Amino acid sequence: MSDPPKRPLLQTASHLLVAAVAVVLVLAWQAWSHRVTQPTPAQGAQAGSADAVGAAPGASADPGLPGAASATTGAAAAAIRDDSASETDDPEALAGGLGGAAARAPVKITATPVALRVWHNTRVRLHAEPGPDTQFKRFVWHFEDGSDPAEGAAVDHVFPESVTDRHITLEAHRASGQPLVISKRLPIERLAVAPVDGDASLEKPVPGPRGLRMALLGAGAIAPPAAALRRLLALKVDAIIVFGSAPAAGGAAQILAQLDSSAPLLHLDTTLASIEVPLPDTALERAPLTVVHDPLGRVSAVPGGSTWTLGHVAFLVYDSRPVVSSEAAMLALQRGFQVASAYPAVVLLSARPLSPLTDGEQVADRAFRIYEHALRSNVRAVVSASSGVAFDGRYGGLSAVSVGQLTPLGCARLAGTDHCQSGTATLLDLAKTGAPRTLHLRRPSLTAWLEAAVLPPAVGKYRR
């Protein structure tokens, strides 16, 4: 028998040798390229600091060029965080606004448990937590169930057989000055809501307009973001009023023009004066309310005063920016009331409120005279924005609306409460008859609004 041919074996061995050499070359190239592209410790630290601000120092604006990846990734991550913000009405989740832990109230109340049992005695542990760099020497707790006050940074209290929410008040005494008074609502336990007919969606959509719908934006010095304006336009607003600086209103007008929107945009200057000197009479010509975007000419000026009209609503402006108002300004306001009272609905716009909404706030000069004139002139709502907090309620016989900030700086906190508000935009619906409807929509999505869990039933002289 002859030996089998050796040629196929030689070919197989040669193929295996070539494959082994290829693998070795690939591994060597990967190791070399990893060593070349690996950043040094100094480069790594520099890249880390660049990512903290969103882009490397040498990042290109073109995503297709080297150095642009870190900037694109940082922006995308920020957008994801903004879009995934919680839609809860829990005050603890809303605390912080813009700036997180930096936006803290001077003192905060924590309660354990956080809710009261129905028709049961509930023992609650209350604790006062001062903010950073804040010191208090004494804490006094007041309860609304007729029991005696209690003192101490932490106290226990038994709420007997609760059938409704309870409120507690804390006096935090510093070494000098008036005590800081805050309050907290202890809610009664809520039972889970069962969906009807198997519908698992319990989210409440923003209701449709009731009469003329206005969007009120407390922008300060920052122009409202395009996403917020686009969302408000989708809610069928008839007009947008920006409270803040002229650059903020100008930026909003440019965005509306780019969106090809015909909704009128009005600007109310809320720059406050700090000197107790009345404005000269010549300053009355510089009305604080101006129309900056109105392609269809829907907003009309009323001669002889700072009054504008849109549909059945008259916008009357009181220039409360100076600490002290001149008598000429009061007479001009009185004439404006007489003209505006001919319209079915009147909205009084003011920088300062008629009564304080935040601690130590300076209110509109001669507020009681303004209140009396407003009662006689069919004023349906008094809108102010300098407080920087969102709230709506009754001030005597008038409906009062305070506009919050889209982007709050620091802690936007209502007097008496212990948590910071999130960014908001306010919808105000005014029909020809009936009370106005107010919704304070929360950033970033503007799909839910501040409800009773966040807005207290009373702030100073205001009642909801």
Side-chain angles (χ1 to χ4, degrees):
M1 178 179 282
S2 60
D3 295 334
K6 298 181 180 180
R7 188 175 185 87
L9 295 176
L10 293 175
Q11 289 178 348
T12 302
S14 63
H15 290 168
L16 293 175
L17 180 61
V18 171
V21 171
V23 171
V24 171
L25 292 176
V26 170
L27 293 176
W29 178 83
Q30 289 180 345
W32 175 81
S33 62
H34 178 73
R35 184 171 61 255
V36 171
T37 59
Q38 182 71 22
T40 64
Q43 292 171 335
Q46 182 179 7
S49 62
D51 288 341
V53 297
S60 168
D62 187 352
L65 297 178
S70 61
T72 305
T73 303
I80 292 173
R81 285 194 300 270
D82 189 55
D83 290 339
S84 61
S86 173
E87 289 297 332
T88 179
D89 272 337
D90 182 9
E92 303 297 335
L94 295 177
L98 183 70
R104 277 286 307 273
V107 63
K108 179 182 176 182
I109 300 175
T110 59
T112 307
V114 296
L116 304 173
R117 295 190 62 192
V118 178
W119 286 113
H120 283 73
N121 295 341
T122 308
R123 179 178 293 274
V124 180
R125 178 73 170 176
L126 301 170
H127 187 71
E129 297 181 359
D133 302 326
T134 306
Q135 293 183 351
F136 298 94
K137 66 175 185 178
R138 181 168 166 246
F139 297 98
V140 181
W141 302 83
H142 299 272
F143 314 99
E144 66 170 10
D145 55 6
S147 58
D148 295 331
E151 292 195 22
V155 299
D156 290 330
H157 185 75
V158 177
F159 292 88
E161 297 186 347
S162 297
V163 294
T164 184
D165 297 349
R166 299 280 191 176
H167 285 83
I168 54 176
T169 303
L170 172 65
E171 293 181 2
H173 294 261
R174 296 187 177 93
S176 60
Q178 294 292 328
L180 176 65
V181 180
I182 63 174
S183 64
K184 187 178 184 68
R185 182 181 62 88
L186 293 179
I188 198 74
E189 62 182 347
R190 265 59 170 177
L191 301 178
V193 179
V196 179
D197 297 332
D199 184 8
S201 176
L202 297 176
E203 182 179 355
K204 295 185 299 183
V206 177
R210 180 188 296 167
L212 186 135
R213 167 165 286 184
M214 292 164 283
L216 312 175
L217 307 180
I222 305 174
L229 293 176
R230 189 180 296 107
R231 168 60 179 162
L232 293 172
L233 293 175
L235 296 176
K236 301 179 181 179
V237 296
D238 296 292
I240 300 174
I241 304 180
V242 172
F243 298 81
S245 65
Q254 292 179 359
I255 296 174
L256 290 179
Q258 294 171 0
L259 297 175
D260 196 22
S261 169
S262 61
L265 175 68
L266 293 82
H267 168 231
L268 183 71
D269 189 352
T270 55
T271 305
L272 299 181
S274 57
I275 303 176
E276 295 188 7
V277 176
L279 286 177
D281 294 344
T282 55
L284 297 177
E285 300 176 0
R286 300 194 303 270
L289 183 69
T290 55
V291 179
V292 293
H293 178 79
D294 187 11
L296 301 182
R298 298 174 57 196
V299 181
S300 302
V302 176
S306 183
T307 306
W308 300 87
T309 62
L310 175 61
H312 65 276
V313 178
F315 299 97
L316 180 61
V317 184
Y318 173 60
D319 193 355
S320 59
R321 292 173 295 176
V323 178
V324 178
S325 300
S326 65
E327 188 61 27
M330 293 301 301
L331 293 176
L333 176 64
Q334 187 174 356
R335 290 193 298 269
F337 275 126
Q338 294 173 352
V339 174
S341 62
Y343 289 82
V346 180
V347 176
L348 177 62
L349 302 175
S350 169
R352 302 180 193 267
L354 298 178
S355 183
L357 284 162
T358 60
D359 294 324
E361 183 175 21
Q362 181 73 40
V363 299
D365 186 33
R366 313 189 197 190
F368 191 71
R369 282 182 60 182
I370 300 172
Y371 171 76
E372 287 185 323
H373 287 307
L375 280 180
R376 300 189 186 105
S377 304
N378 199 30
V379 170
R380 302 273 288 283
V382 179
V383 179
S384 62
S386 64
S387 305
V389 289
F391 191 75
D392 61 279
R394 301 289 297 179
Y395 177 73
L398 294 176
S399 294
V401 178
S402 176
V403 181
Q405 294 284 323
L406 268 178
T407 307
L409 299 177
C411 179
R413 183 178 63 85
L414 287 164
T417 62
D418 71 333
H419 64 271
C420 310
Q421 286 188 355
S422 59
T424 56
T426 298
L427 289 183
L428 179 63
D429 289 350
L430 272 176
K432 290 187 177 181
T433 59
R437 180 174 64 185
T438 306
L439 298 175
H440 304 286
L441 305 180
R442 293 203 311 270
R443 287 272 318 270
S445 61
L446 302 181
T447 57
W449 52 90
L450 302 181
E451 295 184 347
V454 175
L455 294 178
V459 177
K461 296 182 179 179
Y462 297 92
R463 300 290 183 272
R464 297 198 77 216

